[in-house]
Amino acid sequence: MKLMGCELDDAAVQQALTGGLSKADMARVEIRDFVLDPPQRRFSIVANPPYIRHHRLGEKLKDKLRAIAKLTIGRPLDGRAGYHIYFLLQGLQRLAPGGRLSFIMPADTCEGVFSHVLWKWITTHYCLEHFYFKYLHIQRRRN
C-alpha cells in the first residue's frame, strides 16, 4: 500500500517522521490545502479533517468556501458551516468512480442548520454505506 496525503503544516510531517514513519511512507504526502487546492481524484480517501468553526474563518476564506459549495452542490451552504464541511465536499468530489471515503466528523455535520441541504445532496449523488455516530442525543417525551 502506498500512502498519499495532504498536510498544511510541514511540522506535522516532520513529527510523523520522528514518530516512526519512514521517508518512503511520507514521500507522497504533499504540503497543500486539501480544500482550496485539492488533489486529483483518488479511489480511497480517509481523513480526520480540521474542525474549524465558522466564526474562526476570515471573510475572504468564507467567500471562497461559499464558491466551492455553489460549484459543488449548486448553492452556498449556511454561513455557520465549519471548514470540515467543505473538506467533506472536496473529498467527495475527489472520489474516483466506485471510490470510497471514510471521514471522522463532528456532530454538527448532521445537526447543523446546513445539514439538511448537505445530506440531501450527499445521498442524492453518493451511496451512504455506513454511518457510525458516536454522539447520541435522546430527549424524553413530555407525557
Side-chain angles (χ1 to χ4, degrees):
M1 173 173 51
K2 294 181 181 177
L3 301 174
M4 290 186 256
C6 299
E7 176 56 58
L8 277 177
D9 186 2
D10 187 52
V13 172
Q14 296 308 314
Q15 186 178 9
L17 291 168
T18 59
L21 291 176
S22 70
K23 285 191 177 194
D25 291 333
M26 300 300 288
R28 296 174 63 172
V29 174
E30 302 172 358
I31 302 298
R32 71 186 309 154
D33 188 318
F34 185 86
V35 173
L36 300 178
D37 181 24
Q40 295 179 359
R41 289 183 177 257
R42 303 282 185 235
F43 187 74
S44 58
I45 298 174
V46 178
N48 181 4
Y51 180 62
I52 304 172
R53 301 208 37 189
H54 70 91
H55 60 275
R56 301 195 72 182
L57 303 173
E59 278 307 311
K60 286 184 181 181
L61 178 55
K62 284 183 179 184
D63 288 341
K64 291 177 183 178
L65 298 177
R66 280 189 281 273
I68 288 169
K70 186 165 181 165
L71 182 66
T72 305
I73 67 172
R75 62 187 273 192
L77 288 172
D78 181 87
R80 290 168 278 191
Y83 197 70
H84 54 287
I85 299 301
Y86 299 94
F87 206 102
L88 176 60
L89 289 176
Q90 291 290 54
L92 289 166
Q93 291 296 98
R94 300 282 102 38
L95 277 180
R100 295 188 176 208
L101 176 136
S102 180
F103 266 44
I104 298 171
M105 299 295 282
D108 76 350
T109 307
C110 298
E111 300 171 341
V113 172
F114 53 83
S115 64
H116 178 74
V117 171
L118 175 68
W119 285 100
K120 183 166 179 49
W121 179 81
I122 290 172
T123 56
T124 298
H125 294 89
Y126 298 89
C127 175
L128 184 61
E129 291 183 344
H130 301 284
F131 188 88
Y132 176 70
F133 193 57
K134 193 171 184 176
Y135 173 80
L136 180 62
H137 176 79
I138 299 173
Q139 184 174 4
R140 188 174 201 150
R141 291 189 183 134
R142 299 176 195 217
N143 295 29

